[in-house]
């Protein structure tokens, strides 16, 4: 979800369920295309951390700060699109 856009940078929060909370996101890839409006596609994947976990369910949350970016651009994180 879009958290904040200050006219230059955008902050996006991506949340994903995991079987335990002992994961973090790592960037798998970034693709930038320019058509009528720029489109930034970011692929995240879950990576197990070294923490010991006892919980059986978790939500992994990642905050991305992207920019500079112009209004009208589209950001896609793991298939979820946000138009600025």
């Amino acid at each position: 979800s879009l958290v904040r856009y200050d006219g230059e940078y955008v902050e996006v929060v991506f949340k994903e369920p995991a079987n335990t909370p002992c994961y973090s996101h790592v960037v798998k890839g970034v693709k930038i295309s320019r058509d009528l409006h720029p489109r930034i596609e970011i692929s995240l994947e879950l990576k197990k951390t070294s923490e010991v976990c006892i919980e059986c369910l978790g939500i992994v949350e990642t905050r991305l700060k992207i920019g500079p970016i112009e209004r009208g651009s589209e950001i896609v994180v793991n298939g979820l699109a946000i138009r600025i």
Side-chain angles (χ1 to χ4, degrees):
S1 63
L2 177 65
V3 174
R4 179 177 53 225
Y5 178 61
D6 66 9
E8 188 174 10
Y9 287 85
V10 66
E11 185 176 350
V12 177
V13 175
F14 180 76
K15 296 180 183 181
E16 179 176 11
N19 59 351
T20 72
C22 294
Y23 286 88
S24 64
H25 283 120
V26 293
V27 176
K28 184 177 180 180
V30 176
K31 180 180 172 185
I32 300 172
S33 59
R34 285 194 153 281
D35 293 322
L36 179 58
H37 296 288
R39 178 181 169 100
I40 301 171
E41 293 181 61
I42 301 168
S43 299
L44 300 175
E45 65 182 3
L46 291 172
K47 181 180 178 183
K48 191 162 177 51
T49 64
S50 60
E51 298 174 23
V52 176
C53 294
I54 58 173
E55 297 179 39
C56 59
L57 294 175
I59 299 290
V60 179
E61 178 179 300
T62 298
R63 290 182 177 269
L64 303 167
K65 187 171 183 180
I66 303 164
I69 191 166
E70 60 191 59
R71 188 167 295 283
S73 299
E74 184 176 40
I75 298 172
V76 181
V77 180
N78 284 12
L80 298 174
I82 300 167
R83 175 83 54 192
I84 308 301

